[in-house]
Every structure is written in structure tokens, then in C-alpha cells.
Amino acid sequence: MPSRVLVTGASGTLGRRLALRLARPGMRLSLWARDLNALSFLAWQCRAAGAEVGVCALDLTDIDAALIALETQDAAEPFDIALLVAGRGDTLPPGALVEPPTQIVRLAQTNFVAPAAMAALLADRMAVRGRGRIALVGTAAASHSLPFAAGYAGSKAGLARFADALRLAVAGRGVSVTLVSPGFFADAAALSRPGEIAADMVAERMIAAVMAGKAELVVPRRFLLLRWFDRLLPRPLRDRILLSLRLP
């Protein structure tokens, strides 16, 4: 296992589980998140497991600051793996017909622009070094036109296409790019929705997929069937199903 790993969105459910799974003697973690208090506690947990930990409290909507911090850290001590987990899952506000423009901008910046720009910066630097692994966390929802989450699904769909294109751009340079497309997940004690899985399972499978250099991980795999179901249905029937999912 390479020893220098970046995890963005480290205070979130999946980012936290990834950091705790990776924490061990010899591992050097750079944990990024907006919530400094949550980040500091996670860093303490990872250090207790034997890892060396640095933290960066940063809002990724400040893209210029994020790119400067990333380039500075990578220049000082190159990253072997970057797990770009940070994202927002905002949906349609109660009573609204469509999402507010400000929400669309925020989702686009956090879910697409920031991770894509950070991945591009690292992919270029890793290609020069001839090694590196990048993971971009999307969502199974990116395959569906969700009327109650157009900004979320749309921004993640853009990220999915970018991840695939970036993977091809660095092919043969020793750099792998993995798109992770999870369905519903939560901490094991908080599982409540049908089909929801434990974040620990997503983290475990994600680490394995990244280390294997896979192009994409869909978890649980049944969401692959839903993706093909969406593509193969006649549009009028698909539209009727998607409209039935609109939040009350």
C-alpha cells in the first residue's frame, strides 16, 4: 500500500471511514474538510492508529485556494493516492418547482469543478513521476435524470464523464483514474432506507478498486442494472417513472 494519501471530504461519512481504514503505522494521510473540529478529532483517531496525519480546513468552493494548497502539498511530499470524496447532495427545497440558481452553482463547484480541477492537477504531476492513483467519487444517481435533484445528478454526471476522459488521457503513464459510483450508504448504526449499505463496505471496496486500478466501481452492483434499465426503457415510460419519484 502506498504511504502518502490525500482524502478530501474527510469529515463526511465516506471520507471518515476511508481515513480510518487507511490509518496504520507507516501511512501518511492528508485529510481535507470544511469542519475543522470534526477534522481534528478524525486526525486524532488516525494518529492513535499509528498514521502520520496532516489536516487542511478548506471550503472547496474556493477553488483557487484549493489548487494552491494541493500543488504546495504535492510539491513538498508527493501524493501516491488521491481520494477525492468531497461533495454535496442537496436536493429540491420544500415547495420549490426547480432548484435555486445559487444551489446549482454550489453543487457544480463542489461536485464537479473542484474535484475535476484537483484531479487534473494531480494527474499531470503524477504522469511526470510515472505513478499515482486518483479516485473521484460520483454517485449511481448520475445515470438518472432526477427531477428533485437535477443539480446533484447533473454535476455528478459531468464528473463521471470527466473521470473517464481523464483516465484515457493518462493511460500508459503509470496513473490510474477510478470513478466510484455508490448508491445509498450510511454509517452502520444509521442504516434506514431500503437498499442502503454500510459506508464501511463502500470504503473497503473503494480502496480495493483504486489499488487494482479499476476504471469504475459501482456499489452495490444492482445499480448497474438500474443504469441499463434507465437506458433501455422507452422515454415516455422512463419519464413517468422518474416523475413518480418527485418529492412531495
Side-chain angles (χ1 to χ4, degrees):
M1 171 75 72
S3 63
R4 172 76 163 147
V5 182
L6 166 68
V7 183
T8 68
S11 63
T13 301
L14 180 56
R16 186 174 66 251
R17 301 318 305 174
L18 285 165
L20 291 172
R21 274 193 168 272
L22 291 167
R24 66 191 69 175
M27 185 66 72
R28 291 165 293 165
L29 300 174
S30 180
L31 306 180
W32 291 31
R34 287 176 296 165
D35 188 337
L36 181 58
N37 290 332
L39 197 56
S40 298
F41 179 66
L42 176 62
W44 174 81
Q45 290 178 295
C46 292
R47 290 184 185 115
E52 296 179 28
V53 184
V55 300
C56 181
L58 188 68
D59 189 334
L60 294 186
T61 57
D62 188 349
I63 297 168
D64 289 339
L67 292 177
I68 290 171
L70 181 60
E71 187 166 17
T72 300
Q73 287 195 18
D74 189 69
E77 189 179 4
F79 290 110
D80 298 300
I81 296 180
L83 306 178
L84 304 179
V85 183
R88 299 183 66 98
D90 302 346
T91 58
L92 193 68
L97 180 65
V98 297
E99 296 161 271
T102 53
Q103 179 169 308
I104 298 295
V105 170
R106 185 169 61 248
L107 287 168
Q109 288 179 326
T110 307
N111 291 349
F112 175 68
V113 178
M118 293 174 71
L121 186 154
L122 282 175
D124 192 45
R125 297 177 66 88
M126 287 176 171
V128 171
R129 297 194 289 265
R131 67 185 189 282
R133 302 184 186 278
I134 298 170
L136 290 157
V137 175
T139 174
S143 299
H144 310 287
S145 301
L146 302 179
F148 58 88
Y152 174 63
S155 59
K156 291 291 192 177
L159 187 68
R161 183 55 59 93
F162 173 83
D164 198 40
L166 183 65
R167 177 183 63 83
L168 294 173
V170 296
R173 299 299 185 95
V175 181
S176 65
V177 179
T178 301
L179 172 67
V180 181
S181 302
F184 303 122
F185 64 86
D187 282 327
L191 295 177
S192 58
R193 290 178 288 190
E196 198 167 38
I197 62 172
D200 260 330
M201 179 184 296
V202 179
E204 178 184 358
R205 294 184 183 178
M206 177 174 168
I207 292 169
V210 172
M211 294 309 302
K214 290 187 176 180
E216 184 179 10
L217 169 69
V218 178
V219 58
R221 289 185 62 81
R222 60 178 170 270
F223 279 95
L224 277 173
L225 295 176
L226 290 176
R227 178 186 295 179
W228 283 107
F229 188 65
D230 185 288
R231 291 176 181 175
L232 295 173
L233 276 179
R235 185 178 292 272
L237 179 56
R238 188 209 64 157
D239 289 355
R240 195 177 312 144
I241 293 172
L242 290 171
L243 285 170
S244 72
L245 300 176
R246 184 186 289 273
L247 298 177

